[in-house]
Amino acid sequence: MWITLVATLCGTAAGVASTLVADKVRWKRDRAHQERDKQVEICVEFLRALMRAYEGLYDIASREDRGADRNYGAVRDLVSDAGTADSRQLLLVSTPAHVTTACEHAFSVLRDLRDAVGGGLTVDTSAYQELDRAFRDALHDVRVEVRRSQGLADAEALRRPRVPPYRMVSAPAADGSPSAPARPRTTGA
């Protein structure tokens, strides 16, 4: 009689223990997924900030008569308003080292582009186009590293960003009517 009782207690203990172990494993897995999702969210916000800053710089550099916007202070404020520095700080403390390294490089290239546009560089110069290509390559590297940190097997398979057409467009007239057709929008970056 007592052998049946001991066997029942042992079976119950084994069942409870296995349930606890399974719950602990599930909890760790869910926590890892949540942490990875949060890191991806932070990286995406950083990429958005980089693109907001880049598009503002491109807009300034592609206008023919935007001399007032090409001063360093205005360009620095544009990049600051895009939120790159804030999202960069969050990223630096919450992502793996290989992602952080790629993001730091992209941020550095963006600063070089900011300094060049602030110094009066325009899109129709080879110096601007070289910096633009470097930024697009750095942006691609960030995307690959973020995908790699997610464990995606095809992280390297991303298409490189397209290069926009580098032609100057006139600034809108004082009355707000466009004096030239707007530059074509490209997709991909």
Side-chain angles (χ1 to χ4, degrees):
M1 160 113 174
W2 75 273
I3 293 178
T4 308
L5 181 62
V6 169
T8 302
L9 288 175
C10 287
T12 302
V16 168
S18 66
T19 301
L20 289 174
V21 168
D23 284 347
K24 176 105 174 162
V25 168
R26 189 178 311 114
W27 177 81
K28 282 184 176 181
R29 185 187 63 228
D30 290 347
R31 185 155 169 86
H33 285 295
Q34 289 172 349
E35 193 173 304
R36 190 173 59 229
D37 290 347
K38 182 68 174 167
Q39 287 177 357
V40 168
E41 190 177 308
I42 290 167
C43 291
V44 167
E45 181 50 41
F46 179 70
L47 286 167
R48 285 181 184 147
L50 284 177
M51 287 310 299
R52 284 189 300 267
Y54 167 78
E55 288 172 358
L57 292 173
Y58 182 84
D59 184 51
I60 290 171
S62 67
R63 298 290 176 178
E64 287 178 348
D65 61 350
R66 297 284 292 253
D69 291 341
R70 284 201 184 106
N71 71 64
Y72 183 74
V75 170
R76 187 189 66 231
D77 290 345
L78 180 143
V79 172
S80 176
D81 291 345
T84 54
D86 293 338
S87 60
R88 175 179 163 249
Q89 291 304 319
L90 186 57
L91 185 136
L92 289 174
V93 299
S94 61
T95 58
H98 63 99
V99 175
T100 301
T101 302
C103 291
E104 280 293 278
H105 178 65
F107 187 73
S108 174
V109 175
L110 180 72
R111 281 190 313 226
D112 293 343
L113 191 60
R114 173 201 66 193
D115 294 345
V117 172
L121 205 62
T122 58
V123 296
D124 59 347
T125 61
S126 62
Y128 177 91
Q129 293 170 15
E130 185 177 317
L131 280 171
D132 186 70
R133 282 187 193 91
F135 176 75
R136 289 174 179 280
D137 287 343
L139 197 64
H140 175 75
D141 293 344
V142 169
R143 290 174 179 150
V144 167
E145 291 303 326
V146 170
R147 290 173 60 85
R148 188 176 289 143
S149 75
Q150 294 179 57
L152 297 175
D154 64 344
E156 306 279 335
L158 283 178
R159 180 180 54 82
R160 290 210 171 260
R162 282 188 251 157
V163 176
Y166 296 112
R167 66 173 190 195
M168 299 294 284
V169 295
S170 299
D175 64 359
S177 64
S179 59
R183 68 181 166 88
R185 298 294 301 184
T186 58
T187 58

